[in-house]
Amino acid sequence: MALRPAHVIIKAVDASTVGRFWAEALGWSAYSPGATTYVGPAGGLVWPDPVVVGLDVVPVPEPKTATKNRVHLDLATTSEAHQAELVARLKALGATPAQVGQGQVPWTVLADPEGNEFCVLEPREVYRDTGPIAAMVVDCMDPWAMARFWGAAMDWTLHEVSDDHATLRSAKGVGPYLEFLRTPDVQTVPDRVHLDLLPYPGDDKAAEVARLRALGATALDVGQGDVPWTCLADPEGHEFCVLAPS
């Protein structure tokens, strides 16, 4: 048994506006199948997408605090000119410069219209075929522990692990990377951005949840009530949800 990332959840007071921002930013489309705004490739809503990891922008009543998100997106570029053009276009769409202690770096840190940080990377060969999202990046204290947990939780391949960094990617070699970066920060507020995981058709969600609990996940109550998905936290407290199989 194994799980796959279905999408990245972004909580927003104005989910429609934030969803439209990300659709324009990524060159994708915004779909509104219900209360949330789903952002995925153009051409019609395909969920789960076989290649990309989409975004699902979920309306919440509380605005983001000044606290830096522990999960963010890195956007890929193909040249220095593309990076500069993308940064300018994103600012025109409503993105603002963000300071997260990055200092002098070759990438640009921005925030979406509700303050969720993301990075526009300088061109890197490793991200040449990821699509617009190069990586989903998670701050953590122990990349080795995160690699063990998430490597066992999902059917993605572990590419690299060290004291400072761990990287996974779909075993098919497509789509974005999932990266864990060592940081001394500790969580003080609920995660504004998190992953939703999906069992494969025919797999048992309850069995998958039990397997994750055995790996070190803990039950999580975020006021979700009676819903068909299960909210959990990984060994460092990062929130994630296990959805019912499609």
Side-chain angles (χ1 to χ4, degrees):
M1 295 189 295
L3 296 160
R4 52 189 162 148
H7 46 236
V8 176
I9 292 288
I10 299 176
K11 298 176 183 176
V13 174
D14 187 344
S16 179
T17 295
V18 173
R20 287 195 303 271
F21 168 84
W22 280 105
E24 293 284 346
L26 301 173
W28 288 355
S29 295
Y31 307 93
S32 297
T36 70
T37 299
Y38 184 80
V39 179
L45 177 59
V46 177
W47 185 88
D49 192 280
V51 175
V52 308
V53 178
L55 311 181
D56 199 18
V57 187
V58 177
V60 294
E62 308 86 3
K64 182 180 181 291
T65 69
T67 303
K68 174 182 176 289
N69 288 337
R70 294 200 302 169
V71 181
H72 73 267
L73 300 179
D74 280 354
L75 305 189
T77 62
T78 56
S79 66
E80 291 184 3
H82 180 211
Q83 182 186 17
E85 180 277 328
L86 181 56
V87 168
R89 186 167 65 83
L90 291 167
K91 288 181 177 179
L93 290 171
T96 54
Q99 285 294 325
V100 292
Q102 68 268 27
Q104 293 294 322
V105 292
W107 58 88
T108 301
V109 184
L110 299 173
D112 74 12
E114 291 201 7
N116 298 298
E117 304 87 359
F118 64 96
C119 298
V120 181
L121 301 180
E122 75 285 4
R124 301 183 192 181
E125 180 64 19
V126 67
Y127 301 132
R128 69 189 183 281
D129 61 352
T130 60
I133 299 177
M136 305 164 289
V137 184
V138 182
D139 293 345
C140 68
M141 292 180 287
D142 187 348
W144 287 95
M146 291 295 94
R148 285 192 297 271
F149 175 83
W150 286 92
M154 303 193 310
D155 62 348
W156 282 23
T157 299
L158 180 64
H159 283 252
E160 175 189 357
V161 62
S162 69
D163 289 343
D164 296 316
H165 184 227
T167 302
L168 298 92
R169 195 186 190 194
S170 167
K172 299 176 182 177
V174 297
Y177 288 80
L178 176 61
E179 301 182 358
F180 297 91
L181 295 182
R182 187 179 180 213
T183 174
D185 297 338
V186 297
Q187 183 185 31
T188 57
V189 297
D191 289 327
R192 197 82 179 169
V193 181
H194 71 260
L195 275 173
D196 275 1
L197 304 183
L198 182 67
Y200 284 92
D203 286 350
D204 182 81
K205 182 175 79 74
E208 285 291 344
V209 169
R211 186 175 68 86
L212 293 169
R213 295 288 298 271
L215 290 170
T218 54
L220 186 67
D221 186 353
V222 292
Q224 66 269 24
D226 184 15
V227 292
W229 58 87
T230 300
C231 298
L232 298 171
D234 74 12
E236 287 200 12
H238 301 98
E239 301 168 23
F240 67 98
C241 297
V242 180
L243 307 178
S246 57

